[in-house]
Amino acid sequence: MNIDVLETHFVVRWASAVTPDQQESMAQAWRRCLTDKQGSLMWETTHHPFSMHFTASVFFRSRIPNGGVLHLGSDTFEGLAEAVTSEVTVAAILERAGELTMLHACGVADSDGAVVALVAKSGTGKTTASSQLARTFGYITDETVAIRPDGSVVPYPKPLSVKQTTPGAAKLQVGPDELGLRVAPDNPRIAAIALLDRVSGGNHQWPVIEPVPLVEAVLALIPDTSSQAEVVQPLQSLCRLIDSVGGVFRVSYSEAADLTDSLAPLFLAASVELPEAGREWSPAMGAPGAEQPTDPAGAEPLDSIPAGWLQRTDAVDAVEIGGDLLVLTETELTRLSGIGPIIWQTAQGPVSMETLVGRIEALHGLTEGYEALLDAAVDGLVSQGLLLRG
């Protein structure tokens, strides 16, 4: 089976236990991702590492060292089919890391190609929402909305993974054609991003759409992106994307069947990109693409941090939003407020506590008991790994 996933070509070779009927069922489930390109993929016949009854090998051209081959196995065909969907998706995401912004979301498009991405975690209703909405709108994906820097979207019309009633059973891989989902138009573009919030229990709630403040939107989206830290200026890039679609919305709802009529306004939500002066955010001091200030302590950069002095650790990216500072490291995203942003930005090079006090006084003045507040803030940044203490 030859499939195209996020513009990566995969060849799936089924082992002999997978019957022709089962192979055909998978070809139908993956029909919208099938490709006739054979490419120049080469593989060797190797002993399969699994003793399981149902096995398959997946081949693709990888930019990752030692990548390009997946061996999958399960005691059931349904388990193998689910493993193929899951592992191919992960492999394709890793191949496009740094090139695309990939939201963990379902995506649907109107007839003009405007795409709404509904971001949600696994198990919170993405697939159900996709299967409802895509009977009216074009089906982009139920898993990963992949967005190029120019705003165009790479469709991923994969099979939908549908839960079975038997506890612990593998999810069934059901093709969008079998579910009657509409084909997405050519050349789709991102028009809106929304956080999908299913309200369970209590009274029935008709869908409510409300804007999300930018800092909260970034904090919510980063955990539900794939490999965003590998994108150039990942926080700034995400903020520019949010600008281009007129902000992020939250959609609170009880039943997916109620979403279709309610989502119509989101397809019109995108605005022109905001002018620089009108943005709610800016690159933080010292972040990639930001103006590089002189050392506020007036000292030359040092190879080591003097005893008692402070210096911030390397960050992947940082943005200022209102009075908050968001700092992305290789492991986590941290929100700083109060005097935290001043400390972090002042400590671009080694600085003394006296320098920090002077900077805080110049910007905000000093309150009674400021020493204890400053010590607590510094200790917190050190414990979070954002500051080093000499």
Side-chain angles (χ1 to χ4, degrees):
M1 183 172 70
N2 287 272
I3 53 176
D4 192 349
V5 178
L6 301 179
E7 299 180 329
T8 297
H9 175 211
F10 292 85
V11 176
V12 181
R13 296 191 69 201
W14 308 107
S16 57
V18 181
T19 68
D21 285 347
Q22 289 169 334
Q23 294 182 36
E24 177 61 22
S25 71
M26 285 295 282
Q28 289 302 313
W30 282 93
R31 183 170 169 273
R32 295 191 189 179
C33 296
L34 293 179
T35 177
D36 56 5
K37 37 180 194 182
Q38 298 296 318
S40 56
L41 286 173
M42 302 294 292
W43 55 79
E44 296 180 4
T45 302
T46 58
H47 176 68
H48 208 284
F50 295 115
S51 59
M52 298 174 182
H53 184 66
F54 292 95
T55 61
S57 294
V58 180
F59 302 90
F60 58 103
R61 183 170 290 106
S62 178
R63 63 178 184 174
I64 301 171
N66 302 317
V69 180
L70 301 170
H71 295 299
L72 307 175
S74 177
D75 292 329
T76 65
F77 170 68
E78 291 78 12
L80 177 62
E82 182 180 11
V84 168
T85 300
S86 176
E87 295 299 326
V88 162
T89 299
V90 171
I93 286 172
L94 292 175
E95 290 302 316
R96 302 309 305 276
E99 300 175 5
L100 304 171
T101 292
M102 292 176 279
L103 302 176
H104 194 210
C106 67
V108 291
D110 68 7
S111 58
D112 295 325
V115 174
V116 171
L118 298 169
V119 180
K121 299 184 184 303
S122 295
T124 58
K126 280 199 324 303
T127 297
T128 303
S130 298
S131 61
Q132 288 287 337
L133 291 166
R135 290 185 173 94
T136 300
F137 304 107
Y139 174 60
I140 295 291
T141 187
D142 77 331
E143 176 63 34
T144 300
V145 175
I147 306 166
R148 299 186 183 95
D150 65 358
S152 59
V153 171
V154 182
Y156 180 25
K158 59 180 282 295
L160 288 80
S161 298
V162 179
K163 289 182 180 178
Q164 298 192 66
T165 55
T166 305
K171 294 179 180 178
L172 296 178
Q173 305 308 298
V174 184
D177 291 333
E178 185 177 344
L179 293 172
L181 307 189
R182 296 171 65 98
V183 176
D186 295 333
N187 304 314
R189 297 184 61 82
I190 190 68
I193 299 172
L195 307 176
L196 201 56
D197 181 16
R198 186 176 184 183
V199 180
S200 58
N203 297 326
H204 176 272
Q205 178 174 310
W206 291 102
V208 175
I209 300 176
E210 54 190 354
V212 179
L214 179 59
V215 67
E216 294 180 21
V218 175
L219 288 168
L221 288 176
I222 283 291
D224 281 317
T225 61
S226 298
S227 305
Q228 182 65 15
E230 297 188 37
V231 173
V232 176
Q233 300 177 350
L235 291 181
Q236 298 175 57
S237 174
L238 184 58
C239 286
R240 285 191 288 269
L241 173 61
I242 292 171
D243 281 349
S244 73
V245 297
V248 172
F249 296 85
R250 176 175 285 105
V251 179
S252 303
Y253 73 105
S254 293
E255 299 295 334
D258 300 330
L259 288 172
T260 302
D261 293 337
S262 303
L263 287 190
L266 289 182
F267 290 102
L268 306 174
S271 63
V272 295
E273 187 169 348
L274 299 178
E276 197 75 27
R279 286 179 171 169
E280 296 180 59
W281 63 276
S282 62
M285 187 183 298
E291 217 174 295
Q292 304 301 318
T294 57
D295 182 357
E300 293 295 322
L302 302 176
D303 293 331
S304 60
I305 307 171
W309 286 37
L310 301 162
Q311 184 172 0
R312 75 190 192 202
T313 54
D314 291 335
V316 175
D317 200 7
V319 293
E320 291 182 87
I321 302 176
D324 292 321
L325 179 71
L326 298 184
V327 181
L328 181 66
T329 65
E330 292 185 356
T331 57
E332 63 182 327
L333 175 64
T334 303
R335 178 183 186 175
L336 302 181
S337 55
I339 61 174
I342 301 173
I343 297 171
W344 189 86
Q345 293 187 329
T346 304
Q348 185 175 2
V351 294
S352 65
M353 290 293 283
E354 290 77 10
T355 299
L356 289 180
V357 170
R359 183 68 172 160
I360 293 169
E361 182 177 23
L363 292 175
H364 292 296
L366 299 176
T367 60
E368 185 177 351
Y370 73 86
E371 297 96 336
L373 294 174
L374 177 57
D375 287 341
V378 167
D379 289 345
L381 292 174
V382 171
S383 67
Q384 290 174 298
L386 297 180
L387 280 184
L388 295 174
R389 180 184 275 125

